[in-house]
Amino acid sequence: MNHPQTPAPVGTAHQDEEGRTGLSADALKRAFLDNLFCVQGKFPALATRTDYHLALAHAVRDRLLQRWISTAAAYTKQGARTIGYLSAEFLMGPHLGNNLINLGIRGAAEQALAELGLDLDSLLAAEVEPGLGNGGLGRLAACYIDSMATLGLPALGYGIRYEHGIFQQEIADGWQVEKTDRWLRYHNPWELMRPEWTVEVRLGGRTERYADATGRERVRWVADRTVNGIPYDTPILGFNTATANTLRLWRAEAPEAFDLDSFNRGDYFGAVNRKTVLENITKILYPNDETLQGKQLRLEQQYFFVSASLQDMLRIMRTQRLPLASFHEKFAIQLNDTHPAVAVAELMRLLVDEQQLEWEDAWAITTRTFGYTNHTLLPEALERWPLPLFRAVLPRHLEIIFEINARFLDEVRARFPGDDGLLARLSLIDEHGERYVRMAHLACVGSHTINGVAELHSVLLQRDVLKDFHALWPQKFTNVTNGVTPRRFLALSNPRLAGLIDEAIGPGWLTDLTQLKRLEPLADDPAFRARWRDIKRENKRVLAARVQRSTGVTLDPDSLFDVQVKRIHEYKRQHLAVLQVIDLYRRLREDPSLVIAPRTFLFGGKAAPGYWAAKLIIKLINAVAEVVNADPAVRGLIKVVFLPNFNVSAGHDVYPAAEVSEQISTAGKEASGTGNMKFMMNGALTVGTLDGANIEIREAAGPENFFLFGMTVEEVEALRAAGYRPQDWVARNARLRAVLELIGSGHFSRGDTQMFRSLLDGLTYHDPYMLFADFDSYLACHAEVDAAYRDPERWARMSILNTARSGGFSSDRSIDEYAKRIWNVRPVAVKLLTREDVRGSVLQ
C-alpha cells in the first residue's frame, strides 16, 4: 500500500470552513492526517490500511457530530414528537461510504486521499461490516432509519449492540460452517458510549403486594438479577440535510465486574462467573433457541433492550420537563415485528408500578403509544413463550399480561356473548397443551395500529393470520408496503448507473424516486440502451472478480447473471431453482444441439445454525456447482456458484450486476421482500410468483416486463384443500422425475445415494411449499427468460423500464406513509450550529 505523502504545513482553516467540519478536499485531508496522528497514533511508515480507514472514518464522524448536535438542539427546543423504532435487528451495512454519499463529499474524499497517494475504494473495503441483523427485517430497519433522517423526522432507533453479530459463513466441502463474527475487533469508530445514561434492567425473582401511602394495593417486583444497560449512540445522517438522528444500541454490563470476596476465598471462577452470565445477554445475535437455555436467553435479550429503551424515553421526558400523562404525545413507538412486543407489558409496569398511575390511565397511554408491524404469514414464526419460562424470567410481566388478557376477554364477551371459541382464539394465552404467551396477540391488543408490509400480506393478515382481531377492530388494520433506500442501493452501490441517471434526468431522484419515471422515454433510445448495457456488463465484471476471490470460480460477464440471494429457507424455495438448474444441465448433456443463452446461476444466503433442511439445500447447491462447473459437456453454457457470507457489503456488488432476480416463494408465504426491490431498482428483471411485494412490482413494471410463474394464493389453498399429493406430480412429470432420480443416484454426491435422501423424501411425500406443483410453470418461465435475453435490445428496454418504474419502492415513501397515517410525526427543520453557537450557549 502507498503511504500518504507528507503535506506542506497548513495554516488556519478558512473562516467559512472550520478544520473539523469543513467539507472541501483540503479540509478533509487535514482532518484525515490529524486523526491518523492524534487518534490512531500512527505516522505513515507504520500505518496499516485499517489505520487509514479509521482516520478517515473519524474525520467523517466529526462532520456528522456537528449535524447530530444541531439536530438534538432543534428537537429539544421544539419538544418534537419523536418516533421510537424498536427493533431486535439493525443490519446497517458499512457506514463510511453511505455517510460520504449523504454528506455529498465522496468526490472530495476521493480527491483528498488521491493527493496523499491513497485510494478511497481500498479504504472503503477495509470497513468491518456490523452484522447486527439476520436479513430483511434488520435491513428494513436500517433503510427506515436512513429515510427518517432524510425526511427530517425526529426519531430514535433502539436495539441491541451485539458483541458478535450474525455468524460469518464459510463453505467447507459444500457445507455451511459458522464462524464467530468479530465486528468490534478494531472498535467501532461511528459510535459514542453514553455511560451517563446507563439504566438498570431486572430479571427473575418474585412479586410482592404492599399498600402505598394512600392505602391502595400495589405490586413490587423483587428481582434476583440486575444488569446494566449501557447505551452506544451512532449518528444516522439524512441525505443532503442537516438532520442526523440517533441509533441507540444497548450493551449489557454486570453491575459488579468482579466479586472480590469469591476471589479471596480462592473461587476464581465464581469471582467472574456472574459477570459472564449477565453479559451473555448481548453477546450474540440470535442464539440457538432449540434448548431451554437458548429460549431463555432470547427472551432476556428482547426484554433487556425494550426495558432499557422505555426507561430512556422516560428519562427524556424528565429532561424536557414533560408531564408523564403526555408520554403518548411525545413518543410514537413502532414494534418491528413481535421481538419487542413485551414492551406493551413493560410500559404498563413502568407506569403502574414505578410511576404509580392507575391502570386505566396507564392503559390509555400505552394503547395510544404503540404501533405494530407484522412481518410474517408463517404461524410458526409468530413468537410464543412457554408460561413457566416467562414466569421465571419476567414474573411481574406475566401478572400484567394476565390482567390485560382478563380485561380484554371481558370486552370480547360483551361484544360476542357465548362465543367461547372466539375467546380461545383471541386470548393472549394459548391454552392448548403447554400454555404459552402469544406475543403477536399482546402486540395487537396493546397497539393502536397493526400493519402488514405488502398489499397481499395485509389482506392475508386480515383474512387468515389475525382475522379474529380484524373482526374485532377493523379500524386498527392498514398496509404500508416496504421500501429500500436508493442512497445505499443505487447511488452508493451502483455509481456508474447513478451517474448515467444523473446525466439523463438530474440528481433530484435521490430524494424523490418517482422522478425515475422520466427515464421511460430513453428506453426507446438505442444509444441510451447501449450505455445501459455497458454499465451492466462492467458491474458484472466487478461481481465476477469478487466471486473469483471468494470461490475460485471464473464467471463469464457475457452470460446471463441469474441471482437468488437471501436467507436460506424452504419457503423461499432455493431448491426449486436448483431443480431447474439440474433439468437444464440434464437436457444439455442429452442434446448437445440445444441452443440457450449462456447462464450463470448465483446463489447466496445463510441458513440458521439449527435449520438442517436449509443447510442441506446449501450443500445441494454446492454439490450441483461442483459437478456442473467441471463437466466439459456444458462448459461455456451454464455455471453455478454459491457466494459465501452474503451480507450488505456483498450486496453492493450483487444487486448492480444481476440481470434476473429470483423471487420464487410459494404464493402466500412471503410477507413482502425487499431484495426484490433492490434488484428492480438496479434494472434486474424479476422471475417471480404472485407473492409479497412481487405483485406490486409487477403492476409497477408492467406484466410484459416481469416473468410470472406459479400458482396464485387461491390456487395454492384449493390444491391443499383437495389433498396435495406430491408423488402424483412426480409420476406424471418425466422431467421432474428425471431430476429427482439424478439427485438420488448420487450423481451430485460422489456416489452417495443417501446424502440428499431426507430432502428428496421431504419433497416427494410432503412438499409443504409445493415445489412440484409449480415446477412445470417455472421451467416454462425460464424458457421465456432465455428467449428474451437473446434479444439484447428488448432486454435492455425491459431493464430500463424496471428501474424507471421502481419509484414506489423507496423507503422514503414507506416512512412518509408511517409518519402521516400511523405516527402523526412531522418534520423538524434543523439549523446547522457552528462551534461559536455552542460556545455562546455555554457562556450564557
Side-chain angles (χ1 to χ4, degrees), residues 167-205:
F167 61 86
Q168 297 286 309
Q169 181 194 56
E170 296 181 3
I171 301 299
D173 191 27
W175 294 98
Q176 171 178 292
V177 177
E178 298 98 26
K179 297 291 185 180
T180 304
D181 170 66
R182 298 174 57 232
W183 73 282
L184 288 170
R185 62 185 177 273
Y186 297 121
H187 98 88
N188 177 10
W190 303 103
E191 66 184 7
L192 279 80
M193 181 180 177
R194 301 293 202 188
E196 68 275 19
W197 294 335
T198 296
V199 298
E200 284 190 356
V201 177
R202 292 178 283 171
L203 297 163

Side-chain angles (χ1 to χ4, degrees), residues 468-483:
D468 293 313
F469 285 101
H470 181 254
L472 189 65
W473 296 312
Q475 74 281 2
K476 277 193 179 188
F477 284 78
T478 189
N479 174 69
V480 180
T481 298
N482 285 343

